[in-house]
Amino acid sequence: MTTEQRRSLLAFQDYIRKTLDPTYILSYMAPWFGEEEVQYIQAEKNNKGPMEAATLFLKFLLELQEEGWFRGFLDALDHAGYSGLYEAIESWDFKKIEKLEEYRLLLKRLQPEFKTRIIPTDILSDLSECLINQECEEILQICSTKGMMAGAEKLVECLLRSDKENWPKTLKLALERERNKFSELWTVENGIKDVETEDLEDKMETSDIQIFYQEDPECQNLSENSCPPSEVSDTNLYSPFKPRNYQLELALPAKKGKNTIICAPTGCGKTLVSVLICEHHLKKFPQGQKGKVVFFANQIPVYEQQESVFSKYFERLGYRVTGISGATAENVPVEQIVENNDIIILTPQILVNNLKKGTIPSLSVFTLMIFDECHNTSKQHPYNMIMFNYLDQKLGGSSGPLPQVVGLTASVGVGDAKDTDEALDYICKLCASLDASVIATVKDNLEELEQVVYKPQKFFRRVESRISDKFKCIIAQLMRDTESLAKRICKDLENFSQIQNREFGTQKYEQWIVTVQKACMVFQMPDKDEESRICKALFLYTSHLRKYNDALIISEHARMKDALDYLKDFFSNVRAAGFDEIEQDLTQRFEEKLQELESVSRDPSNENPKLEDLRFILQEEYHLNPETITILFVKTRALVDALKNWIEGNPKLSFLKPGILTGRGKTNQNTGMTLPAQKCILDAFKVNGDHNILIATSVADEGIDIAQCNLVILYEYVGNVIKMIQTRGRGRARGSKCFLLTSNAGVIEKEQINMYKEKMMNDSILRLQTWDEAVFREKILHIQTHEKLIRDSQEKPKPVPDKENKKLLCGKCKALVCYTADIRVIEECHYTVLGDAFKECFVSRPHPKPKKFSNFEKRAKIFCARQNCSHDWGIHVKYKTFEIPVIKIESFVVEDIATGVQTLYSKWKDFHFEKIPFDPAEMSK
């Protein structure tokens, strides 16, 4: 690309921003854009809209240096259907697009009338030539899922971005063909000048205009930027910094070469301490020798923060820094990355995997290992897997040198300890796991630490629950009726689970449902058709019971309206899917109660007292200090959404700008936030000031660098002593407060126990610090030797693959799907099925979030094709040049052909059958 072309692209960027939705051309830009850029652009669209996404796209585009990208961009526009934009950029003549501006202005003015008068499905076929194919599909999907008005709104949005010069006339003709009265308003002969403001208002006065408020889409993009520089922030490392005295005190034992656990409050700058240790460690090696540091971070956002911090600090000193996470590990040779860099930031499972494979021969390749949030080093956590390897090397008499070990944490915890002696044993076991001979805390410079990290005042607020709960009564009756229907189908239902005294609207009831669903998936009868009928019916009944149970939990902690909306969404989705006789019956039963539920949820006397108290706290604190920054911790994702809706719908809380932060994992009910979404929210919260309250699940209580808050609210939220210290540590500004708000006395009691355990922990650490170091090391060695004996005695032999062919049955309807002999393994962890017979067993639907990863392009979801089943089996992908299904084992029941015994597996690794690698040659047969 010439400099002139680059200048022209910049000159005409406003036209491109107003017209281009870059997400429609990203698949054609794969040779030039990596997965990360694609994710950020997609996230920018979800968060701020197509125009901001186009701005980011252009930024990335203009930064490209590779040959041929400008031609590639034009080709991408052409392939996606942006013929007008393609022509304009090719000739650098935007007159045709510029002429469309007056029609865009007219359509914007007419948008309220357009939404109420237009049926998009009636005119879409006529307008298809003026839109991108994907836009047409999205409009149809919105019409079917959200209704015609939402579809009309989407159609307006797409027309406003259309680059086709004939779209205004095409719209006029389509309206006239349908004899739609809106055509009287849509005057195109001489443009917008023909529609005077008074005429427009007169014509619209007589129409029945409805106003709809629509929530902005959730932000989909995690800031790569750190929080604003402050004296202490772990991320303020752009230039050499002067450490505080307490940070030097914390670093001292590790700088002397001792294996150390550094235990210090959240927000005191433990990352800076690790940087001090790392720099000292790398500089101590004589000429001709080199150190190699690995820093482990559990969570991807923490990993990215630390990679940024270490890179900014150490690269200016001439050290090579890189990072590898699960998202990038498949695409890079890990052993070469480790060999060629001085500091490597890793998510721990990467090292576990490579130690198993032998690509990293031993831990001796490193000279220093730093474990962030090191209190996780227990049981089967990846940290512990790494340290098992370390301890086997230490206790096995290996000749290779062992790396120094440093752990960072805000709290070492005490487990289930009931007194200081038990707490002491627990802490010693953690030290043994990390081979640590020192626990470093701030003692000599405590006053300085307290000037930096303020311990918030803690308040307990016990609130009464609703005096009467008509909503719960109605839902509970629907649940009893549904249970009765299930028992009619299967009289042995109660024997499917040992869980007794289950109460509606509790976690215990959720556990009962999960147990019953697992049991009915392997329930067997001589009559296979009857078995299939019963299993499918039980699956449907229990799925509905789960949703009712979820709704009761939401209602208990938020508004009845939120719980009812949750159920309405569920039943709307049920209608859109298979909708068999059982679902029709259950939907009818719900709809018979819907009017009563609507009435109850709207009744002001049914307001949740907890929400009233939460509102009072927020109003009071923001009245005292309008600059207050809050983190509101809750237990579930559903509650995050419900409280956000409540805040946004409450005029008394209009001063709040809420953001949400949830985990990335998938639960039974919800898919978590994507990494870019987490990034965007954190950026908006700590850098841009777009949010002054963050509603978060437990993802925010550990490790992630969040702006200093002066108000932490724990809304029915309590965990162990580690969680208590971490969540409280989020309120680290001067004069900060921490409220625990609950209707359950047991929650307050548990938090008070945590406070007692914190004192026990601190007392135990002080006792340990008085021990002679040699005595402490001997104690640690004794624990390590004992734990290794237990570990070795429990070591299981590698399972022998079962070579017998087995059946896979649909987990919902029990239909035969395939045999294990038909299954092939791709890249060690993805499973596909060969043969035309399997293709007849499933149907596919476009994937709601198509994306590329490694050699795969996720395109569709696959479901059981059997009538009224539609059980989710997995995805359809393009793998290299092959279009193949990829199945998930938890969706199936495995049946032994010889014995008929049926088994459930939640992970492929637990299913020990003969796994045949995927061979492209088989696909051509």
Side-chain angles (χ1 to χ4, degrees), residues 461-477:
R461 298 285 285 255
R462 171 84 189 278
V463 187
E464 294 303 319
S465 297
R466 294 183 181 95
I467 297 168
S468 63
D469 197 336
K470 180 71 173 169
F471 184 90
K472 184 172 183 177
C473 292
I474 299 167
I475 297 297
Q477 187 56 53

Side-chain angles (χ1 to χ4, degrees), residues 660-828:
I660 66 171
L661 183 66
T662 64
R664 297 171 62 222
K666 186 175 180 180
T667 66
N668 289 321
Q669 285 77 44
N670 298 296
T671 301
M673 288 180 86
T674 62
L675 177 62
Q678 288 180 329
K679 284 183 174 180
C680 181
I681 285 295
L682 286 184
D683 189 33
F685 188 60
K686 67 187 181 182
V687 181
N688 302 335
D690 293 347
H691 302 300
N692 57 4
I693 179 169
L694 187 66
I695 310 167
T697 55
S698 59
V699 69
D701 67 27
E702 183 170 310
I704 300 175
D705 180 25
I706 295 176
Q708 288 193 357
C709 300
N710 60 324
L711 180 61
V712 175
I713 301 175
L714 311 178
Y715 190 78
E716 295 286 3
Y717 183 96
V718 70
N720 56 25
V721 65
I722 294 173
K723 192 176 286 289
M724 181 196 77
I725 291 168
Q726 287 168 329
T727 50
R728 183 191 65 201
R730 292 298 164 205
R732 57 200 198 221
R734 188 188 292 271
S736 57
K737 297 176 185 177
C738 179
F739 288 88
L740 171 61
L741 198 156
T742 179
S743 59
N744 185 346
V747 170
I748 292 175
E749 186 181 341
K750 190 171 182 182
E751 192 71 352
Q752 287 170 335
I753 290 169
N754 283 339
M755 292 169 74
Y756 168 69
K757 284 187 171 184
E758 182 185 11
K759 183 179 182 305
M760 267 198 322
M761 180 190 79
N762 291 331
D763 291 346
S764 301
I765 290 172
L766 285 172
R767 268 180 65 186
L768 277 174
Q769 289 171 333
T770 64
W771 286 18
D772 179 79
E773 206 169 305
V775 173
F776 186 45
R777 273 201 297 267
E778 192 177 325
K779 166 90 170 170
I780 294 304
L781 181 60
H782 176 74
I783 294 170
Q784 290 171 342
T785 307
H786 178 67
E787 292 290 322
K788 179 167 168 53
L789 280 171
I790 294 171
R791 202 161 60 245
D792 290 347
S793 68
Q794 293 175 343
E795 200 168 282
K796 295 174 184 175
K798 194 174 180 181
V800 179
D802 187 347
K803 296 188 178 183
E804 295 296 321
N805 201 9
K806 302 191 186 308
K807 293 179 182 178
L808 259 67
L809 312 178
C810 174
K812 183 175 176 182
C813 71
K814 301 296 264 309
L816 175 63
V817 174
C818 67
Y819 293 88
T820 51
D822 304 323
I823 296 174
R824 297 293 182 269
V825 188
I826 307 171
E827 297 185 3
E828 297 183 4

Side-chain angles (χ1 to χ4, degrees), residues 319-378:
Y319 293 106
R320 287 169 297 183
V321 182
T322 193
I324 316 172
S325 69
T328 58
E330 287 183 4
N331 304 319
V332 296
V334 175
E335 66 276 22
Q336 286 181 29
I337 294 288
V338 170
E339 187 179 335
N340 295 336
N341 287 276
D342 304 301
I343 302 170
I344 304 99
I345 318 295
L346 282 181
T347 46
Q349 191 62 47
I350 303 296
L351 184 57
V352 173
N353 294 345
N354 281 273
L355 286 168
K356 278 182 185 174
K357 290 178 191 173
T359 46
I360 303 292
S362 82
L363 294 174
S364 297
V365 300
F366 304 110
T367 56
L368 172 63
M369 299 194 300
I370 302 175
F371 293 82
D372 193 36
E373 307 296 347
C374 69
H375 53 265
N376 290 301
T377 314
S378 64

